[in-house]
């Protein structure tokens, strides 16, 4: 049970820290952290949690990563569903906490603000279409999974995996925030979409389907082409 609780807490921190930075701090007058700050915030949530709970649960914090690691032979099938449930619980609770905090500002409206939800078309920060969003989320998640599997390989330098993984997520956000607000994580997307409702829920399917496809591709590529192992 400890590993499921750890996944819930870790995903809570990822959504609160990453989406919280976008909602509360990105556009703050004069000292807003902007796109660069939000990208680093997401990377830092994974970096800090990897050191905090990596030894307990592996620090997936992401249903797509859990499924990808299972496909890649790094995770047991019996834990896939419990991990995903725990991640969703943590993400949704974090979204609720963030909504309470943000609503303390006069005039704030969760739905009208966008609440760091992921989207395409008119709901993409750069107004990118569905195809762009789909390709972006698949490729970014694929690369994320490859980095995760490579950094945590027993032959990789030990102790540095959290740094590589955290910086990879930062880079992913630097590339793709303008396209989709960056998901690569169905729990992150769901955690805020449920509070926005409307368009965020109707577009949520893409931010489940694309990251899962990307993670599976990443696992297959690493296992068959990069690892040099037959197991």
């Amino acid at each position: 049970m400890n590993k499921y609780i750890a996944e819930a807490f870790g995903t809570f921190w990822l959504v609160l820290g990453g989406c919280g930075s976008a909602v509360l701090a990105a556009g703050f007058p004069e000292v807003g952290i902007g796109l660069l700050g939000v990208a680093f915030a997401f990377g830092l949530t994974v970096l800090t949690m990897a050191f905090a709970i990596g030894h307990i649960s592996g620090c997936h914090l992401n249903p797509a990563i859990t499924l990808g690691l299972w496909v890649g032979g790094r995770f047991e099938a019996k834990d896939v569903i419990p991990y995903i449930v725990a991640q969703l619980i943590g993400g949704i609770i974090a979204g609720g906490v963030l909504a309470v905090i943000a609503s303390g500002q006069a005039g704030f409206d969760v739905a009208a603000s966008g609440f760091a939800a992921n989207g395409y078309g008119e709901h993409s920060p750069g107004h990118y279409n569905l195809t762009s969003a789909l390709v972006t989320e698949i490729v970014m998640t694929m690369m994320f999974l490859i980095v995760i599997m490579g950094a945590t390989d027993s032959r990789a330098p030990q102790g540095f995996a959290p740094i590589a993984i955290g910086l990879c997520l930062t880079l992913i956000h630097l590339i793709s925030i303008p396209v989709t607000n960056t998901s690569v994580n169905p729990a992150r997307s769901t955690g805020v979409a449920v509070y926005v409702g409307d368009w965020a829920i109707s577009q949520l399917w893409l931010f489940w389907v694309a990251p899962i496809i990307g993670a599976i591709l990443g696992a297959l590529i690493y296992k068959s082409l990069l690892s040099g192992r037959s197991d």
Side-chain angles (χ1 to χ4, degrees), residues 60 62-81 83-84 145 149 212 215-216 219-220 223:
H60 297 187
N62 182 336
I65 297 306
T66 295
L67 286 166
L69 291 175
W70 168 63
V71 170
R74 297 279 191 89
F75 195 63
E76 295 186 40
K78 67 181 179 63
D79 284 326
V80 169
I81 297 301
Y83 262 53
I84 292 174
L145 204 285
M149 291 191 70
I212 289 173
I216 291 172
L220 294 175
K223 187 175 181 180

Side-chain angles (χ1 to χ4, degrees), residues 187-198:
R188 169 261 189 268
S189 298
T190 304
V192 292
V194 295
Y195 298 96
V196 176
D198 192 26

